[in-house]
Each structure stands twice: as C-alpha cells, then as structure tokens.
Amino acid sequence: MTSPPRLSLRPGEPGDLPFLRSLAPRLVASAPPWRRQDDLLAEYDVLFATALTDPEPDSAVLIACMGGQPVGFTLLYWHPQERGVFVKDLAVRADAEGQGVGRFLLEAVERWGRHQGAREIMLKTSWFNDRARAFYADLGFREDHVALVLSLDG
C-alpha cells in the first residue's frame, strides 16, 4: 500500500480563486433549510475574491496541496482585541477527505495563531453539519456559543 503524497502549505494567491469557488458548494451544503444557497454562494464569490486580491490586515488564506495540487484551504482572521484567530472557512476537496488535510490545515492555523500571540482559535460550523462538529470535537474544540437567527427578508 502506498502512502498518500505529502501535504504542503502555501499562501493563497489570486489565481486560487477558481479553486476556492469550487469548494464553496461544500461550505453551504449543510446550511439550514431557510438559507438560500444561491445567495450564500454569491457571498462567497465576493468574500473569496476580496480575501485573495485585497485581503484585510491580519488575515490569511492558506492552501493545502497534495502532490502539488490544491486539496483544501482555510480563510482566517486575527482578532487582536480577543487575542484569537477566527477560522472563517475551512474546506477540503471531497476526493481528499480522510487523508489528514483538515487536520493539517488546523495545525497550520494553530502555528499562525501562536505566531500572532493568540490564546484561542474560534470557528463556526452549521449546527446541521454533524460530521464537521465531530471532526472539530475530536481535535479538542468545544462548543461555546449558539447562534440564533431571525430572517428579516422573507
């Protein structure tokens, strides 16, 4: 049995926009039924383009590669007032699941956060995404807040 190719990490660049967009459907797949997935996908188009071409200070897009090909990414922000790193998004290609890519990306987030002086890493995932919640719990994340949403547009 051959082992999977080694993972490498690099910063995101504008040419990664199609790759990030290709993973957006995975990010919205577990959205609650009252969310309009088309609207969420359109928001990701803008978010990803901005993150790669005009990033906020103290933010980063990290790309995990396997065999030189991108297989996952994370978008993160430093919150100095909270001394925390906020993982806005983390996604892995379906064909790379179960190969340690998500764990690899979170280890990179931890290194990035420690370099910034972070005390904690924060993230959100859909309440309906049992798989992600179990993955994060296995890595030591604990559920903290519950977000309640009241839609005002319909």
Side-chain angles (χ1 to χ4, degrees):
M1 182 164 126
T2 61
S3 60
R6 286 186 50 109
L7 292 167
S8 61
L9 187 74
R10 64 173 175 77
E13 52 195 40
D16 290 313
L17 185 56
F19 171 66
L20 270 61
R21 283 182 174 152
S22 76
L23 292 179
R26 294 182 61 86
L27 293 168
V28 304
S30 64
W34 63 87
R35 298 275 188 198
R36 294 186 198 118
Q37 288 197 358
D38 288 345
D39 292 344
L40 295 173
L41 290 172
E43 290 171 11
Y44 273 120
D45 276 348
V46 174
L47 175 69
F48 293 158
T50 301
L52 292 169
T53 61
D54 188 22
E56 292 184 25
D58 298 323
S59 69
V61 176
L62 304 177
I63 307 289
C65 296
M66 184 182 294
Q69 296 300 311
V71 291
F73 81 94
T74 187
L75 169 58
L76 48 127
Y77 299 92
W78 166 240
H79 289 274
Q81 67 278 13
E82 297 172 17
R83 291 193 53 210
V85 175
F86 178 66
V87 178
K88 167 64 177 110
D89 290 300
L90 187 147
V92 174
R93 279 189 354 211
D95 63 342
E97 281 186 3
Q99 298 184 48
V101 179
R103 183 177 302 269
F104 176 78
L105 284 165
L106 284 171
E107 289 169 356
V109 170
E110 183 177 344
R111 285 190 305 274
W112 190 86
R114 288 186 187 281
H115 179 74
Q116 301 280 20
R119 291 188 309 216
E120 63 185 12
I121 298 169
M122 301 161 283
L123 57 83
K124 296 190 301 185
T125 192
S126 172
W127 182 260
F128 300 94
N129 192 341
D130 294 330
R131 184 173 180 175
R133 291 175 60 210
F135 170 72
Y136 293 123
D138 285 347
L139 293 175
F141 284 82
R142 295 176 290 196
E143 294 182 356
D144 188 344
H145 293 84
V146 174
L148 305 173
V149 178
L150 174 65
S151 178
L152 300 179
D153 52 76

